[in-house]
Amino acid sequence: MYLFLNVVAVLTVLGGTCEQIGRRRAVPVIYLRGSHYEVGYDVGRTFSSLIKDFIDTYANLRDFEKEYKTDAGRNAYEITLANMKKKYPFYINEMQGVADGAKVPFNVLFLLQMDDIIETINENHIPRQDTGGCSSIGIHTAHDAILGHTEDAFHETLNHFYIMSAHIIPTEEDKKLGAVEERFASLCYAGHMPGYTMGFNANGLVFSINTLSPLILKPGSTPRTFITRALLTAKNFDDAEKILLDEGLGVANGFSVNMIWSDINNVRKIYNVEVAPDLTSNRSLINVKHFENEPLIHTNKYLRLQLKEVNGPIIDSSNARLEAIYKHRSPKNRDDIQNILSDTSRQDFHVFQDQKESVIKTIAAGVFDLEKKTWSIYINKPNSSEPIAVLPLRFTNLEN
Ligand SMILES: *[C@@H]1O[C@H](CO)[C@@H](O)[C@H](O)[C@H]1NC(C)=O
Ligand SMILES: *[C@@H]1O[C@H](CO)[C@@H](O)[C@H](O)[C@H]1NC(C)=O
């Protein structure tokens, strides 16, 4: 009897590693230099256990795998992979590096990129329920520019992320296919490509991403995570816009990107761009807004592009967070932004999502301070805890 109880206790502990170990106050950062494959390999090798643990526990991935076994799912996967091998072969090499380094199958990592595109492939006829969250708030004043962001993700992602600070020197072969030298830092969910969260590049770009959920997706087109991976190469706003348009294919699913661009004269501009699949042409649908005298505020619903979105918690949560955010005075400085990002005033959804039962959790909050040239990463509320990590914002390509 005594033995039996012990076995049960051990199993219970193993069953819920994520919840049992609590919110870890840890921000793993890896500094890398090399080709796409080499950089991927070192990320995979270093974070193999985080990646494997994430792959084993991420419930949505079980749905992606189920759909992959259907004809429609397999077909969408194969067309997308063939298209990405043509358009972004060097990012496929990078993913192969992660797979080899972490000793996980490539197709599992590619399924993570397929995300809602494959999850919903067989059910486009019923209104989809989606869950998601991420709040971004930016200001541009005479003295400073700040971008604050809660990185909200499925609860399995809690404690399963890292920051890549990479200098990519493409191989001759990758260069011929269009790869360029890259310097960036980005938070990554375990096993995912950099770019689809928050970070910066050496050309003066600071960014954060909000997942958006159009009802109708475009299987076979470019997954949003490839577009945001490519955004890390952007040299200026026009270049970024071109990458987002993705002429020839267009994005398959939805997101918005918040950007602060600094140029060589230290002139800054702040934008939000909403991006959606265009069902009538081979490019993305985009809406650009440049913010001058008002704060940038974005959650997980379209504010400007007119299109049909899903129902469900992603919209309810976005509306709730927008209401909570607009109850504060209009943010004028960093403290204001940190207070808003820490808001837990509502019963239903929090801006800083830390409720025990919540499927979506704030796994980290980031504050980019352009004047101080820092990126502070908080694991707990940013207005009542110290950042766990403070990374320098290095716009090396704007220097001298
Ligand atoms: C999009 O591209 C496909 C494949 O190249 C082509 O068959 C189709 O006509 C294009 N559609 C539009 C609207 O340009
Ligand atoms: C943090 O911000 C919230 C509002 O979002 C506020 O209620 C709370 O008092 C703030 N905490 C501190 C320590 O300033």
Side-chain angles (χ1 to χ4, degrees), residues 36 88-95 182 193 226 229-230 233:
H36 285 285
Y88 293 124
F90 30 93
Y91 299 147
I92 298 289
N93 292 342
E94 198 174 287
M95 286 177 62
E182 299 183 42
M193 282 192 281
F226 277 87
R229 173 66 190 83
T233 67

Side-chain angles (χ1 to χ4, degrees), residues 328 338-345 381 383-384:
H328 290 259
Q338 295 189 177
N339 280 329
I340 299 175
L341 292 182
S342 304
D343 191 294
T344 51
S345 60
K381 290 182 183 175
N383 77 342
S384 47

